[in-house]
């Protein structure tokens, strides 16, 4: 499916999966609104999107700072009169080597950006989403948000942030459905993230391979490309 005419917000777009999703949707014709804590990182990805034929705007946003989140949404609203898709991707990973090894500031920043930041970004962009006739909220939760999951080496604070995202999106899906807003959550285990501009991106994948960011992008594209009577709430993945 092509996504010409779609306006898509991606948080945490300066690197990793956020960058991969932005480049892929840019290739499909979407207009991207990309945020990162470092504006130059967001702008670098925006330029990559432009080079593959998409439109992109870069913004600085610290998800741990409520004022920064509001400013991001307000700035995007000055460029566009609506947003069709919000992708809650920004959430700092933390692996400090053990529960006690992480300092208090790391714990607070991880939970604040991942949990509170997701709630605030959704709240800030919801008015723009409600102006769309095809509004979707996509959240990259992670397998760490599944009840009982313990296989990741991520710090407990990261698990806490992801559990909060899972609880938030679960109730949000029920409450926004009457307004036609689809809330889609992905729960991937650790996955490979090849360069979306490199040859590895299109490499053939098989049963024995680790989950790829390319497959996750395909899941997002599939979900938001469905007819509006199709509410796909969650994607869960078997961990090899």
């Amino acid at each position: 499916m092509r996504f010409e005419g779609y306006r898509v917000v991606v948080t945490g777009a300066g690197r990793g999966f956020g960058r991969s999703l932005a480049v892929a949707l840019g290739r499909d014709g979407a207009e991207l609104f990309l945020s990162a804590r470092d504006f130059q990182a967001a702008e670098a990805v925006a330029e990559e999107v432009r080079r593959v034929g998409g439109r992109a705007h870069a913004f600085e946003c610290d998800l741990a700072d409520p004022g920064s989140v509001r400013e991001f949404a307000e700035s995007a609203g000055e460029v566009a009169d609506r947003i069709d898709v919000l992708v809650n991707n920004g959430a700092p990973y933390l692996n400090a080597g053990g529960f006690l090894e992480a300092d208090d500031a790391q714990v607070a920043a991880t939970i604040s950006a991942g949990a509170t930041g997701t709630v605030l970004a959704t709240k800030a962009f919801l008015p723009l989403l409600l102006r769309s006739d095809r509004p979707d909220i996509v959240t990259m939760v992670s397998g760490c948000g599944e009840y009982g999951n313990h296989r990741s080496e991520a710090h407990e604070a990261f698990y806490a942030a992801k559990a909060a995202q899972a609880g938030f999106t679960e109730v949000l899906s029920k409450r926004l459905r009457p307004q036609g807003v689809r809330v889609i959550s992905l729960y991937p285990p650790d996955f490979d993230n090849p360069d979306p501009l490199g040859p590895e991106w299109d490499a053939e994948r098989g049963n024995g391979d680790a989950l790829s960011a390319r497959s996750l992008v395909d899941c997002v594209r599939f979900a938001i490309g469905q007819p509006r009577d199709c509410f796909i709430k969650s994607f869960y993945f078997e961990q090899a």
Side-chain angles (χ1 to χ4, degrees):
M1 178 178 171
R2 297 286 295 173
F3 289 96
E4 285 95 348
Y6 273 76
R7 292 171 172 170
V8 183
V9 170
V10 183
T11 65
R15 58 185 176 84
F17 182 73
R19 171 179 175 256
S20 297
L21 182 62
V23 171
L25 292 180
R27 281 196 184 109
D28 288 337
E31 181 178 2
L32 280 301
F33 296 76
L34 309 176
S35 78
R37 281 180 293 178
D38 177 5
F39 173 79
Q40 294 304 322
E43 177 57 33
V45 176
E47 182 56 34
E48 290 179 320
V49 171
R50 297 173 193 129
R51 287 202 297 269
V52 299
R55 296 179 61 192
H57 313 270
F59 302 85
E60 180 178 326
C61 179
D62 181 355
L63 291 170
D65 180 351
S68 182
V69 175
R70 287 194 302 272
E71 184 176 346
F72 172 32
E74 290 168 0
S75 297
E78 293 173 359
V79 178
D81 60 354
R82 73 170 201 284
I83 292 296
D84 301 301
V85 183
L86 166 64
V87 181
N88 288 312
N89 171 73
Y93 182 79
L94 179 62
N95 180 0
F99 181 56
L100 296 178
E101 276 65 30
D103 62 37
D104 293 351
Q106 288 177 305
V107 170
T110 299
I111 297 175
S112 181
T116 307
T118 295
V119 175
L120 291 178
T122 303
K123 179 175 180 284
F125 277 100
L126 186 56
L128 288 171
L129 285 161
L130 291 174
R131 296 178 188 172
S132 171
D133 60 2
R134 52 191 176 190
D136 289 324
I137 298 170
V138 179
T139 303
M140 294 300 298
V141 178
S142 151
C144 294
E146 291 185 60
Y147 179 77
N149 182 296
H150 60 88
R151 299 184 64 176
S152 173
E153 295 182 356
H155 190 272
E156 290 82 351
F158 183 77
Y159 267 92
K162 292 302 176 178
Q165 286 183 328
F168 171 64
T169 56
E170 179 70 25
V171 70
L172 194 70
S173 178
K174 303 294 191 302
R175 293 183 178 180
L176 290 185
R177 179 164 184 167
Q179 295 171 270
V181 182
R182 301 187 300 195
V183 179
I184 304 156
S185 301
L186 281 75
Y187 293 79
D190 295 340
F191 58 90
D192 291 338
N193 192 25
D195 185 351
L197 297 175
E200 301 88 355
W201 184 255
D202 293 315
E204 185 175 347
R205 293 154 285 163
N207 290 340
D209 296 328
L211 181 66
S212 169
R214 170 66 188 273
S215 294
L216 295 178
V217 166
D218 287 345
C219 289
V220 174
R221 294 172 69 250
F222 174 78
I224 65 179
Q226 293 306 297
R228 297 306 300 183
D229 65 338
C230 180
F231 281 65
I232 298 175
K233 188 174 72 171
S234 305
F235 286 87
Y236 292 93
F237 303 83
E238 191 72 43
Q239 184 165 7

